[in-house]
Amino acid sequence: MPLNKDRREVMKMGIAAGAALALSGTFPKFSWANVRTVSYEECLEMDALAIADNSQLVTDSYHYLINTAQGIKNKAIKKKVLEVLHNPAPTFAGDLQDRSNRRQVYDELKAKGFIKEIAFDAFLPPLKENDKSPFPFYAGSGSGYSGHHSYPGGLATHVAFNSRMATSLCDNYSKAYSCILDHDIALAAELLHDLTKPWVFQWTDSGESRTELQLAGTGEHHTYSVAESIVRGLPVEICVAQACAHEHPGFAKEEKKPVAWLTVAAILAGKDPIRHKLLAADGQTLPQPRRMENFVCHLADHDWVISAPAAKWIIPEMEKIALTSYGLKQDELKTRKFNQLRNYVFAQASIMELYQVFSTRGEDGLADFVQSIVTPPKTKTV
Ligand SMILES: [Fe+2]
Ligand SMILES: [Fe+2]
């Protein structure tokens, strides 16, 4: 697929292919036939949206998410999940744009020990319009810039994999133990679990994403995403399951974490976590008995077990390839000249596919693969 086609044409093709996928429900899959090769000069000119739009893998992943959400049986939940996928605006942050409101919430979080490193002026990522996400869901990064799905569209590929995991786990528990879990809860929690990443990991002009801060001992996107589900009126069971994505509630030490994250999310959303039934009456545990969907949401978010180390090993390999095959200099590796190259290649192939190539074909195989996606400059100097 070319690659010198007008971008709008390419987008239309991607959307048409996505619509076909939505009808078939096919799981998105990397395929060489779908790679859109561009020159290095072309990829330097693209923004994050164009990079996501130009990836069949990303477009298919996003449409898979829409199709999967369409399968939620409860109409009210389905509507709310689809609204998030269409516009993951952090509406909970609307009231907090007012400086005195923000100060009040910040002081409460700090007094309760949830904020350790965030300065008041850095509290909450920039937000221009309260009701609009700065980037669409499909162009969101799936992680921080050194992390597991750090490219435009990485969020869609991450959540597509996870939501399939959630469905498979529900199916397996049913087959193995005859446990009939509430698939709507497990699936909605997974689809929503990283919903504020397009806001938290905003793309910058350097091609890098915003650096995430830590809130209550985890990446800030986590509590913000739960807060947004609370504010949008998702059922409590979904908000609680969502809070378990980063830790399971199976043991007292571990359970303290989702308890803290639900407390933070409730404060951000302007709710009392106990009165809103996000926690048990004593505020010390999750609502009891603890639902199995909480554990499913946690297990299904384990894509990172392979994808995080894959990113850790592939990013330095990409740097080597940029130096040897694209003529970049060492001091350009922290600039747009490198970031655009890695963003485009990662969005086309996924870090996972690149790692598969590297782990089976070595450095030379990876270098060939990368150069088939972005053609190096002829003179190796740009
Ligand atoms: Fe997360
Ligand atoms: Fe995640």
Side-chain angles (χ1 to χ4, degrees), residues 193-194 197 221 246:
H193 84 285
D194 281 338
K197 281 185 172 175
H221 74 273
H246 286 196

Side-chain angles (χ1 to χ4, degrees), residues 235-267:
V236 166
E237 294 82 358
I238 292 174
C239 302
V240 173
Q242 211 185 305
C244 293
H246 286 196
E247 189 55 278
H248 69 83
F251 304 103
K253 184 168 158 263
E254 282 75 14
E255 188 172 21
K256 282 192 178 127
K257 293 180 184 176
V259 166
W261 299 329
L262 283 160
T263 307
V264 170
I267 292 169

Side-chain angles (χ1 to χ4, degrees), residues 34 92 121 165 169 194 246 259 292 315 348 357 361:
N34 292 331
F92 79 90
D121 285 337
M165 290 272 282
L169 283 163
D194 281 338
H246 286 196
V259 166
M292 292 177 74
I315 292 168
Q348 285 292 313
V357 170
R361 289 162 47 196

Side-chain angles (χ1 to χ4, degrees), residues 142 148 155 158-159 162 190 193-194 197 221 245-246 301 304:
H148 53 85
L155 178 61
H158 172 59
V159 180
N162 284 5
E190 207 60 44
H193 84 285
D194 281 338
K197 281 185 172 175
H221 74 273
H246 286 196
D301 194 25
W304 64 269

